Amino acid sequence: MNHLTSVEIYIWNYLEENKAKIIQMTVAQIAESAHVSPSSIIRTLKKKNFSGFSEYKNMEKQKLNRNDWIYGLTKDANQVVSENIEELLMTVRLLESENLAKVVENIFHAASVVIISRGLSVRIADSFARDLQFLDVKAVSLYQDNMQAYLENLPRNTFVIGLSLSGETDLIVATAKKAKRDGKKF
């Protein structure tokens, strides 16, 4: 095995200590985060017997998916949890920290939380609503065609969260606009 330089040791330790984050990033993003060059990361991985970053990243993803890291859950249950965590991490990365803090504050100060969604976002909305319920937040996931009528009967202190993979789902956008007009926080 080739000996690692001090910079390469730093890079290897950085990769190993940030595995959950690393598998969601590009080599350029990691380089920026670790304050090193992408070529230094590739060189380090090659010295550690990887063909490149893709092989390392794929191996770490497989380890994460195989690992029953929540004791007592089946492999399938852990896979679902892993997928939800991955989706949540991708979503959180898109949010600015100030906006995220406002969302969390609104959730915990609202009389109730309604998460509206359609299609592939429904599973995420259901999971999010259940997670909020475990935190004693009155939350419900709503994906029926009549969601606008449902929201009309809720108090003004209802916080509405819209989930849409594209951000352009007609019913979600129309419901969000109506909720805002009706004085709901969105």
Side-chain angles (χ1 to χ4, degrees), residues 69-70 73 76-86 123:
W69 50 275
I70 300 179
L73 290 184
D76 291 340
N78 271 295
Q79 182 64 32
V80 169
V81 169
S82 176
E83 289 170 5
N84 282 328
I85 288 172
E86 192 170 323
R123 192 175 104 199

Side-chain angles (χ1 to χ4, degrees), residues 53-167:
F53 179 67
S54 294
E55 181 185 3
Y56 174 77
K57 185 174 176 176
N58 288 334
M59 185 192 77
E60 291 305 326
K61 278 185 177 181
Q62 288 174 354
K63 280 184 190 175
L64 183 64
N65 288 337
R66 276 190 305 226
N67 185 8
D68 288 339
W69 50 275
I70 300 179
Y71 180 77
L73 290 184
T74 65
K75 179 182 173 187
D76 291 340
N78 271 295
Q79 182 64 32
V80 169
V81 169
S82 176
E83 289 170 5
N84 282 328
I85 288 172
E86 192 170 323
E87 183 71 29
L88 178 63
L89 289 173
M90 288 174 16
T91 302
V92 168
R93 270 188 223 98
L94 296 174
L95 298 172
E96 294 179 11
S97 58
E98 284 182 20
N99 291 340
L100 187 57
K102 288 177 187 175
V103 168
V104 171
E105 185 177 324
N106 282 327
I107 287 171
F108 287 105
H109 287 96
S112 61
V113 176
V114 177
I115 305 161
I116 58 174
S117 63
R118 295 293 280 184
L120 296 174
S121 299
V122 168
R123 192 175 104 199
I124 296 164
D126 286 345
S127 178
F128 188 33
R130 279 191 305 275
D131 291 345
L132 289 174
Q133 291 166 3
F134 284 127
L135 297 172
D136 291 327
V137 173
K138 256 177 88 175
V140 64
S141 171
L142 190 61
Y143 43 85
Q144 296 86 352
D145 290 336
N146 66 345
M147 61 179 71
Q148 289 184 19
Y150 179 87
L151 289 176
E152 286 177 359
N153 299 320
L154 295 175
R156 287 179 64 92
N157 192 17
T158 297
F159 185 58
V160 180
I161 300 172
L163 296 181
S164 168
L165 291 176
S166 68

